[in-house]
Amino acid sequence: MSDFSLEKPPVVLVHGRNTDSGVWGELNQFLINNGYSENMLFGWNYDTTQSTNEVLSAKFKEYVKGVLQQTGEKKVDIVAHSLGSLPSRWYIKFDGGKDIVRNWISLAGPNHGTALGYLCAIWDQGCKDMTPDSWVISHLNEDTETPAPTKYTTIWSPGDEQISPPTSTKLSGADNIEVSSMKHNDLLSSQEVFEHILSTLGSGN
């Protein structure tokens, strides 16, 4: 069992579209520099063209189960970028994750959709799921956008050129944090963003 078990659970990092967990290098190092051990940081890799609700949420559930078994913990924290916000939210709301996920942090997530999703929705299911009127978006946001007891934080930038409008990231019932104007992928290397993530992870639930 981790030495951190009484203080903070493992962190699962969920990348965005057309990339992999390598995007988390700078955040990983920042968290290590601020007290996390490498064996408490996990990056989930997945095919971003697959369906959020029919495929990815179940795969993510199994991944989290493996993290808990490996670490001996009962909870996880999640940091998701962009598209990664959708399967991780689906897991929390519909697949039992709300009792396992302590903190869920969305960086530039298309939580109410992004108009740019229409540009690739015809051939890419991940893009289709990100469109504002998609089945996934409508079901994630019906009744409650932030089911308890998970604590929700969104971090968004008015300069985000890929989430249209940028305010789509914000959720009712979440701590919605606006940061300096920066591009979509710049949030992955921003010390300003990292400080907000660290503060959230350290605040507990």
Side-chain angles (χ1 to χ4, degrees), residues 34-60:
N34 284 276
Y36 278 86
S37 59
E38 288 187 50
N39 62 3
M40 295 297 282
L41 302 174
F42 297 84
W44 183 50
N45 286 301
Y46 65 101
D47 181 349
T48 62
T49 67
Q50 294 182 323
S51 168
T52 291
N53 57 305
E54 294 177 338
V55 179
L56 294 179
S57 178
K59 290 186 175 182
F60 185 63

Side-chain angles (χ1 to χ4, degrees), residues 152-171:
Y152 300 81
T153 301
T154 76
I155 300 176
W156 69 281
S157 169
D160 192 330
E161 82 288 8
Q162 294 190 36
I163 303 301
S164 178
T167 52
S168 170
T169 297
K170 299 195 295 182
L171 290 171

Side-chain angles (χ1 to χ4, degrees), residues 116-187:
L116 272 68
Y118 292 117
L119 299 178
C120 49
I122 294 177
W123 67 86
D124 187 307
Q125 184 62 43
C127 288
K128 184 176 181 179
D129 289 347
M130 287 193 290
T131 58
D133 56 355
S134 75
W135 195 90
V136 166
I137 294 295
S138 63
H139 280 72
L140 282 173
N141 295 328
E142 67 183 357
D143 298 327
T144 176
E145 296 182 355
T146 51
T150 299
K151 176 184 174 183
Y152 300 81
T153 301
T154 76
I155 300 176
W156 69 281
S157 169
D160 192 330
E161 82 288 8
Q162 294 190 36
I163 303 301
S164 178
T167 52
S168 170
T169 297
K170 299 195 295 182
L171 290 171
S172 175
D175 181 13
N176 297 300
I177 301 171
E178 179 181 353
V179 294
S180 303
S181 184
M182 64 184 81
K183 291 185 177 181
H184 186 70
N185 289 328
D186 289 345
L187 276 77

Side-chain angles (χ1 to χ4, degrees), residues 11 32-33 41 46 55-56 75 95 105 108 111-112 115 157 166:
V11 179
I32 290 168
N33 292 345
L41 302 174
Y46 65 101
V55 179
L56 294 179
K75 300 270 188 177
D95 280 341
I105 303 172
N111 294 316
H112 291 95
S157 169

